[in-house]
Amino acid sequence: MAKWTDHVMRVSSENGIEGPHEDGHSWRKYGQKDILGAKHPRSYYRCTYRNTQSCYATKQVQRSDEDPTIFEITYKGKHTCSHGSNSVLPPPSPEQQEQKRNKQNNTSHQQQSQGIQMSFPTNLRVDTKFLEDRENMASPFSFTSTSFGCMMPDDAFLSSMLDDNNTFFDNFNHSLLSPAAGESNYYLMPPSQMRNIAGNEQLSECGLTEIISANNSSTNSPIPEMDFPLEPVEIEPNFPFDTTGIFS
DNA sequence: TGGATTTGACCTCT
DNA sequence: AGAGGTCAAATCCA
C-alpha cells in the first residue's frame, strides 16, 4: 500500500535553459491547467510505471510567479516502482523536456554537447549571502557543497522530518542518489514550509530560503539513508567549487 | 511505429 | 458555478 505524501519543493533553474531538476524518476505528463491567479500553467505528472508497477506517485510542477526560474514542485504519493534512484540513467525530467520544447527554436543557446561536466559550474548558483548569514547561526550540521550542501536550522527540523516517517528524506534520496550524475540541483524550500517544519520564526525573519544544493554525483554512496555527515562542516563563502576533477 | 506530449472535455469538490 | 484534477484522442517525435 503506497503511503501518500505531499511535499513541496521549490527548484531553481539558474538560466532557465537547463532543466532545474532531475529527481531520478521517470514522469509522464498527463495534464496541464491554467491556475487562477497564476501566470504559468500547472503541469501534472505521474510515474511512467503507474500501470506496469502500480506506482501511483504524482507530482505537480508550476513556475513561480515571482521568479520564472523557480519551479514549485509538489510531490504526491510515494514511488513503489523499482525504476527510481537506483535505476539506470533516467530520461530527462519533465521540466527539462518542457524547457527543451520551449527552446527548440533557439539555436543560439549553449551547446548540449558540452556535457554535464561543462555545464555544471555554470548552473551552480550558490547564495553566498545565505552562507554568510548561516555562519552566524549554530547549525547542527551542514554538508559539503560538492556532495550535498544542506544547512539545517536545528534539531527540531531534523526530527520533524524523521517524524514524517522519513518521507522527506525518501524524496530527497531519490534526488540525491539519482544516477543522472553531474547536474547541480537546487532545492529551495519556501519560508512558509520552513516555519511549518522547523517552527523557527528566525528563518523567515532572516528572509532566507532554505537552499539545499544537491549534486547527483553521490550516486554510489555507501550510506543509503543519510548521505551526509552529521557533524558541522564549515563552508567557505568563497569556496571555489572547482568541480573539474569530480566527474571525470 | 511506439511512446510521450498536448489539449479540450469531463469529473469531482467546494 | 467555478476551479482544480484527470482522461483520452490527437498529435508529435525519435
Side-chain angles (χ1 to χ4, degrees):
Chain A
M1 183 70 178
K3 179 177 59 181
W4 290 93
T5 61
D6 192 332
H7 295 305
V8 179
M9 287 185 180
R10 303 189 76 197
V11 180
S12 173
S13 174
E14 171 72 14
N15 51 23
I17 295 175
E18 299 296 330
H21 182 49
E22 172 55 62
D23 56 19
H25 287 283
S26 296
W27 298 98
R28 181 170 186 163
K29 189 174 183 175
Y30 66 88
Q32 179 171 305
K33 260 300 213 192
D34 287 323
I35 301 303
L36 191 70
K39 296 177 182 178
H40 306 284
R42 177 180 299 167
S43 298
Y44 300 89
Y45 299 88
R46 64 164 63 110
C47 181
T48 301
Y49 309 103
R50 179 187 179 93
N51 295 326
T52 58
Q53 298 189 29
S54 299
C55 180
Y56 294 103
T58 64
K59 74 172 179 179
Q60 301 173 2
V61 178
Q62 185 167 18
R63 278 181 192 266
S64 170
D65 288 343
E66 305 83 42
D67 187 349
T69 65
I70 300 289
F71 287 84
E72 296 186 8
I73 304 177
T74 302
Y75 290 91
K76 294 185 178 182
K78 189 177 179 65
H79 278 279
T80 59
C81 63
S82 60
H83 294 74
S85 57
N86 293 324
S87 64
V88 296
L89 190 66
S93 69
E95 299 80 41
Q96 285 178 308
Q97 295 177 19
E98 176 182 344
Q99 293 184 347
K100 177 184 175 181
R101 291 177 179 276
N102 293 337
K103 294 291 179 180
Q104 271 184 340
N105 295 329
N106 184 358
T107 57
S108 62
H109 79 78
Q110 59 182 293
Q111 296 179 0
Q112 296 293 328
S113 61
Q114 284 183 323
I116 294 173
Q117 295 92 333
M118 295 300 291
S119 63
F120 173 76
T122 57
N123 286 336
L124 181 61
R125 183 176 68 180
V126 177
D127 190 341
T128 55
K129 177 179 182 304
F130 168 81
L131 294 177
E132 290 166 2
D133 290 342
R134 283 290 181 176
E135 285 184 345
N136 298 327
M137 303 174 63
S139 301
F141 59 89
S142 58
F143 313 95
T144 57
S145 58
T146 53
S147 175
F148 175 29
C150 179
M151 283 63 67
M152 302 299 181
D154 53 25
D155 289 323
F157 180 46
L158 175 61
S159 59
S160 67
M161 291 189 294
L162 297 178
D163 286 345
D164 191 21
N165 296 319
N166 290 327
T167 54
F168 184 88
F169 272 125
D170 282 349
N171 279 334
F172 263 104
N173 281 335
H174 289 318
S175 304
L176 300 175
L177 301 180
S178 168
E183 279 188 310
S184 178
N185 298 334
Y186 303 91
Y187 301 87
L188 293 88
M189 193 176 299
S192 58
Q193 185 179 2
M194 290 300 297
R195 285 195 296 273
N196 291 338
I197 293 177
N200 188 344
E201 290 292 338
Q202 262 193 329
L203 290 171
S204 59
E205 291 173 6
C206 294
L208 296 176
T209 299
E210 184 72 5
I211 296 178
I212 303 172
S213 176
N215 183 333
N216 288 333
S217 64
S218 57
T219 306
N220 297 322
S221 169
I223 307 174
E225 290 296 327
M226 303 285 281
D227 187 39
F228 39 76
L230 289 177
E231 296 180 352
V233 177
E234 287 199 3
I235 298 178
E236 290 292 333
N238 297 325
F239 186 81
F241 292 104
D242 182 4
T243 59
T244 39
I246 294 178
F247 304 108
S248 57

